Amino acid sequence: MNVLTINHAQKSFAELGVLKDISLTVDEGEVVSVIGPSGSGKSTLLRCATFLETLDAGEIAYMGKKAAWDEGGKAVYAKNLNAFRQCFGLVFQQFNLFPHRSVLQNVMDAPLRVQKRGRGEVEDEARQLLEKLGLAEKADAYPCQLSGGQQQRVSIARALAMNPEILFFDEPTSALDPELTGEVLRVIRRLAEDKMTMVIVTHEMEFARVVSDRVIFMDGGVIVEQGDPNQVLVDPTQERTQQFLKTYQA
């Protein structure tokens, strides 16, 4: 089952083409890592997939249903995008937690406000998620009282609380020091073992090699190469991929 399908996605800012005819699918239970240099379009691809930006042209479908489609070379969006937003969770670089709400309140907010679920059920699930992510004792703490790694784990719990079909991560460790990075990557690896469908924009090459089912290398707004992590990251076929990995290892 294709959880996410993107066809011929195009996005420009002013005269700058950031996405140039990108097509990809993500299957249920699959972990896809997206790598590439700064400015390659990785984060814009995630922002378009999660409707934070609108495509100029192309299609986006979740669970086989089209959220955006092409009409005469222009992307047209479904009226009920909120229904599609229930399909995914998004974990940002900078955590984006509500500073004036406790950890538990941050995790409970969207299921209560967006999904209109019962408070007792939502609180039970939120506490279970915090337990799973090693944060049970931090339920009543506020974001300012947490380390960066703990804040990012709360962000992951908050995304999981919506029971999404797919999780998107946009450079989830870029704001963390190496010790805290490992803490967050261990959580993502456990989610992969649980067969959570994920798309991860990352600069952690070894992590991408170990955790991913597929790695996509982007540059200049196009997918240059994709495939098995060992093939793409250890023995890439495209010269541009080879150059990128050499500079990364230098």
Side-chain angles (χ1 to χ4, degrees):
M1 166 65 129
N2 289 347
V3 176
L4 171 67
T5 304
I6 295 177
N7 286 321
H8 305 297
Q10 296 178 44
K11 176 66 178 177
S12 295
F13 295 103
E15 299 300 310
L16 179 64
V18 180
L19 300 180
K20 305 169 185 174
D21 199 15
I22 296 275
S23 295
L24 63 91
T25 60
V26 181
D27 293 333
E28 187 175 3
E30 188 177 23
V31 179
V32 177
S33 288
V34 184
I35 63 169
S38 296
S40 60
K42 309 183 301 294
S43 291
T44 299
L45 178 63
L46 249 61
R47 291 179 66 81
C48 287
T50 55
F51 315 135
L52 295 173
E53 300 283 356
T54 54
L55 291 177
D56 297 331
E59 297 181 349
I60 301 172
Y62 282 96
M63 311 303 288
K65 295 179 180 176
K66 287 186 180 179
W69 56 92
D70 207 280
E71 284 185 9
K74 189 176 187 312
V76 177
Y77 280 78
K79 288 187 171 62
N80 63 330
L81 280 185
N82 277 341
F84 289 98
R85 288 189 179 99
Q86 309 266 340
C87 293
F88 58 78
L90 176 59
V91 178
F92 298 90
Q93 297 177 24
Q94 298 295 340
F95 323 136
N96 287 20
L97 299 173
F98 295 117
H100 59 289
R101 294 185 181 174
S102 70
V103 165
L104 185 64
Q105 289 169 333
N106 266 279
V107 175
M108 290 175 61
D109 177 70
L112 289 174
R113 189 170 45 81
V114 179
Q115 295 179 329
K116 313 293 187 191
R117 292 165 56 202
R119 179 170 289 275
E121 173 196 10
V122 168
E123 182 171 342
D124 286 347
E125 285 190 17
R127 289 189 183 278
Q128 287 171 25
L129 281 170
L130 292 175
E131 177 80 37
K132 181 177 180 180
L133 298 185
L135 293 164
E137 76 286 358
K138 299 294 184 183
D140 296 323
Y142 286 83
C144 65
Q145 299 172 304
L146 306 180
S147 70
Q150 288 169 333
Q151 289 187 61
Q152 192 61 293
R153 282 187 281 151
V154 175
S155 297
I156 295 170
R158 180 180 60 181
L160 288 169
M162 294 288 283
N163 295 310
E165 302 290 343
I166 183 171
L167 269 185
F168 294 97
F169 293 86
D170 186 8
E171 297 276 16
T173 60
S174 66
L176 304 176
D177 65 36
E179 185 177 355
L180 299 179
T181 290
E183 176 185 315
V184 171
L185 295 182
R186 280 192 293 276
V187 169
I188 299 174
R189 185 177 293 191
R190 285 205 302 274
L191 293 173
E193 290 167 357
D194 292 341
K195 295 300 179 188
M196 183 75 212
T197 310
M198 294 184 281
V199 176
I200 308 166
V201 170
T202 184
H203 59 274
E204 301 283 346
M205 298 301 154
E206 179 58 20
F207 175 74
R209 187 185 69 78
V210 171
V211 82
S212 309
D213 298 297
R214 180 160 44 107
V215 169
I216 292 173
F217 172 64
M218 286 181 65
D219 188 34
V222 300
I223 293 175
V224 175
E225 185 166 0
Q226 65 176 308
D228 176 87
N230 284 308
Q231 181 264 305
V232 174
L233 294 170
V234 179
D235 190 23
T237 60
Q238 299 298 312
E239 184 178 348
R240 182 65 190 96
T241 318
Q242 295 166 8
Q243 290 171 345
F244 171 73
L245 292 171
K246 276 181 189 166
T247 59
Y248 223 90
Q249 291 157 0

